[in-house]
Amino acid sequence: MTSLISRAGARFGALLPARADLTDMRRGPRRDLLAGLTVAIVALPLALGFGVSSGLGAEAGLATAVVAGALAALFGGSNLQVSGPTGAMTVVLVPIVGAYGPAGVLTVGLMAGVMLVVLAALRTGKYMQYVPAPVVEGFTLGIACVIGLQQIPSALGVPKPEGDRVLVVTWRAVEEFARHPNWTAVGLAAAVAAVMLVGARLRPTVPFSILAVIAATVVAQLAGLDAAEPIGDLPSGLPAPSLGFLELDSLGTLLAPAVAVAALAALESLLSASVADGMTVGRRHDPDRELFGQGLANIAAPMFGGVPATGAIARTAVNVRTGAGSRLAALVHAAILAVIVFAAAPLVSRIPLAALAGVLLATAVRMVEVGSLRAMARATRADALILVLTAIATLALDLVYAVIIGLAVAGVLALRAVAGQARFDQVPLDRGDHSVEEHALLAEHIVAYRIDGPLFFAAAHRFLLELTEVADVRVVILRMSRVSTMDATGALVVKDAVEKLTRRGILVLASGIRPGQHQVLDSVGALHLLRPDGRDYATTPEAIRGARDHLERAGVLPAGAARQEQQAVPNSADSPEFREEPAP
């Protein structure tokens, strides 16, 4: 018991901040301060916009950026990750707000945070690497489309229609705009998006998002554009932490949405941390610690009225490009946003919603990497199919279902490809194609089958069909040294095939069975069928000699014929065709 507690304590201790983190923050504080300032400028309109899009308001987005951003930076597993409200999470939160209200969203965020901490304790972060690239690309494309469509009501200057399906809401917003056009809102949104997209191409290092938002706000105020609806009043500071939103009776009904939020937070955060690793040299994040940091961030953010948070790819990329060297940059970003909340709330409240919609429209466009999508679509048909299905599912269903569908399709196609690698070669197959050594076996009514690759449920059916079609044969030798994988289904098929051949009077021997496969074959009752004479054959030459001895005893071969045959063709059993080679 003491050792168990000790191991648990050591595992938990590995997830906490270490002295090395403080050492990193002392190395280049000036560049980290500059990077944090730049990221805060980029993050401000995004935090406001995603808060509004989620349905909880701009103040919720700011609270998330400050609280979750600071905690994830301090406890997370990446030195360069920047966390906060994101478009992907907003996509998931919109239907939750509609079904359960703001209190439900806060409860879901808290529950998801606890789940992330549990996932970190169970060391599940490493499994992120198994998500196929086409799933990630399709997921990102679908998210970009959903984020863009979510901004249509604000960009058109119409009230957001009822509904939780983004395509339906978008269509209703367009219909409302057709009845009551608001060209002021359209102009502001289009101008902000255009400035961001064009500016990013000309001067990538300049934060055009905040410049465009400031310009749009000044124009709206000076010109008295009443049609440009502002964000509205914001509190001058964060609310006191509270669990007043938590209703224990509703935890059961909110479990499924919480699982979806936790899954998305884990996926997007680990993906963003991997992107940060790829942009630097010698940097590697700790996936379990990253889950732990995101869990703490999502436990704390709802207490301050914030929405669930994840690692933000765009803000993380800005952080890396501006020279951040430690987690101090992400902490500075959160601190600057906190100062803005306390000191500039009246000014921020005047920003037009259409301007924020323009920021998010440009963000959605910049999320789509055309070159990467084109390369993925051209790679293989399977990759293209997975990408398209994941993107469509993200748009039509929701993000968690999209990832599940993408992983399921990828898994099926991968199994199909692996099963196609399984080879089942008969030696000899035809007198005209093989050597005199093999012809000697054919004359003795012996046939050897070499099985290469995996023998599991995806390939087992073909194995059974081919094996039971043998004719004019008295002994079948299964050469199994190159079987790389065998599951229960494959072992059952072997058993079925051996039983059918035995009923036809055909003896079945096996050579080169691996120790791990002994257990699988024995568990389904197939191992003893492959040992009709009570012995194992380590190599095919041994099995051939055993088959000849059996045929002599059965009278099929005259006594001594096997020895005479081996003298006439001395290498028949030891021919390279029959040498045992382990599976690669």
Side-chain angles (χ1 to χ4, degrees):
M1 185 64 161
T2 304
S3 62
L4 182 63
I5 295 175
S6 177
R7 287 198 301 270
R11 176 176 295 183
F12 181 75
L15 300 175
L16 296 175
R19 181 175 296 178
D21 298 328
L22 182 60
T23 302
D24 285 342
M25 287 191 282
R26 290 175 175 174
R27 286 176 181 168
R30 182 175 299 177
R31 65 181 184 182
D32 284 334
L33 290 172
L34 179 60
L37 174 62
T38 304
V39 175
I41 293 173
V42 173
L44 175 60
L46 293 175
L48 295 170
F50 289 135
V52 172
S53 295
S54 70
L56 269 70
E59 61 273 19
L62 284 174
T64 303
V66 173
V67 177
L71 286 175
L74 185 61
F75 291 96
S78 171
N79 287 339
L80 305 175
Q81 177 94 290
V82 178
S83 300
T86 63
M89 187 60 74
T90 300
V91 173
V92 174
L93 296 180
V94 169
I96 298 177
V97 173
Y100 305 103
V105 172
L106 300 180
T107 303
V108 163
L110 180 65
M111 295 172 65
V114 174
M115 293 177 187
L116 289 172
V117 171
V118 173
L119 290 176
L122 295 176
R123 302 290 188 184
T124 61
K126 58 187 176 183
Y127 296 110
M128 169 60 193
Q129 62 184 319
Y130 298 114
V131 179
V135 174
V136 175
E137 292 292 343
F139 176 76
T140 304
L141 175 60
I143 290 173
C145 293
V146 174
I147 292 173
L149 291 173
Q150 283 181 339
Q151 309 316 311
I152 297 301
S154 295
L156 297 180
V158 300
K160 183 179 179 181
E162 296 293 329
D164 56 2
R165 293 294 179 187
V166 66
L167 292 173
V168 175
V169 171
T170 300
W171 179 252
R172 291 174 179 172
V174 172
E175 289 181 329
E176 179 63 23
F177 179 80
R179 289 191 292 267
H180 306 287
N182 185 342
W183 296 108
T184 300
V186 172
L188 287 176
V192 170
V195 168
M196 286 183 60
L197 294 174
V198 174
R201 285 184 173 274
L202 299 178
R203 300 290 297 273
T205 59
V206 177
F208 283 100
S209 59
I210 192 67
L211 296 179
V213 167
I214 292 174
T217 304
V218 171
V219 169
Q221 292 296 312
L222 294 180
L225 301 178
D226 296 334
E229 181 183 357
I231 291 175
D233 293 337
L234 292 175
S236 297
L238 296 175
S242 170
L243 288 175
F245 59 86
L246 188 61
E247 296 181 5
L248 298 180
D249 295 340
S250 64
L251 296 184
T253 59
L254 294 174
L255 181 61
V259 170
V261 169
L264 178 59
L267 177 66
E268 190 173 14
S269 297
L270 295 178
L271 174 61
S272 177
S274 298
V275 170
D277 290 346
M279 296 176 66
T280 59
V281 178
R283 296 276 187 172
R284 288 294 178 268
H285 72 282
D286 182 337
D288 297 314
R289 186 177 168 188
E290 181 62 28
L291 291 180
F292 180 71
Q294 295 295 335
L296 294 183
N298 280 287
I299 290 173
M303 299 181 186
F304 294 88
V307 296
T310 74
I313 296 178
R315 276 156 275 179
T316 299
V318 171
N319 195 38
V320 175
R321 290 194 188 107
T322 50
S326 73
R327 56 189 72 231
L328 177 61
L331 286 169
V332 169
H333 135 270
I336 292 174
L337 290 178
V339 171
I340 293 174
V341 169
F342 283 98
L347 296 177
V348 173
S349 66
R350 300 178 183 179
I351 296 175
L353 291 174
L356 293 181
V359 171
L360 299 186
L361 284 171
T363 301
V365 172
R366 293 171 62 179
M367 286 177 64
V368 180
E369 296 286 347
V370 177
S372 180
L373 293 175
R374 186 183 293 114
M376 199 66 62
R378 290 177 177 176
T380 66
R381 291 183 179 179
D383 290 333
L385 176 62
I386 295 168
L387 189 153
V388 171
L389 285 179
T390 306
I392 292 175
T394 302
L395 186 59
L397 302 174
D398 66 43
L399 274 67
V400 176
Y401 280 126
V403 172
I404 292 174
I405 291 172
L407 289 175
V409 174
V412 170
L413 293 176
L415 285 175
R416 179 184 176 188
V418 172
Q421 296 175 2
R423 287 171 40 214
F424 191 59
D425 298 332
Q426 176 184 339
V427 181
L429 292 170
D430 183 85
R431 288 185 180 274
D433 295 335
H434 296 274
S435 65
V436 65
E437 293 90 345
E438 298 165 357
H439 296 160
L441 287 184
L442 185 62
E444 296 168 0
H445 305 284
I446 301 172
V447 65
Y449 282 95
R450 181 178 61 206
I451 309 171
D452 286 0
L455 183 60
F456 62 115
F457 69 92
H461 183 65
R462 179 161 55 91
F463 166 84
L464 177 62
L465 291 178
E466 294 187 20
L467 184 58
T468 54
E469 288 176 356
V470 298
D472 194 25
V473 169
R474 295 298 182 90
V475 180
V476 169
I477 299 174
L478 299 180
R479 303 174 59 194
M480 303 182 67
S481 64
R482 293 179 63 86
V483 175
S484 57
T485 303
M486 179 185 296
D487 66 356
T489 303
L492 283 170
V493 168
V494 170
K495 177 184 177 183
D496 191 17
V498 173
E499 289 176 340
K500 289 183 178 180
L501 292 172
T502 303
R503 286 195 293 269
R504 291 168 51 191
I506 298 174
L507 176 71
V508 181
L509 303 177
S511 68
I513 301 177
R514 296 182 174 188
Q517 296 162 9
H518 274 93
Q519 181 178 356
V520 179
L521 290 167
D522 189 42
S523 67
V524 299
L527 186 60
H528 75 280
L529 297 176
L530 297 172
R531 295 169 168 172
D533 51 3
R535 58 174 293 193
D536 282 326
Y537 295 102
T539 66
T540 301
E542 293 176 15
I544 292 174
R545 285 190 283 269
R548 285 170 172 163
D549 291 341
H550 167 79
L551 293 176
E552 285 184 7
R553 292 193 299 270
V556 177
L557 293 178
R563 288 188 294 275
Q564 294 173 8
E565 180 65 43
Q566 195 162 4
Q567 291 172 359
V569 187
N571 296 324
S572 61
D574 297 314
S575 166
E577 287 291 334
F578 301 108
R579 289 178 185 165
E580 296 298 335
E581 296 179 2

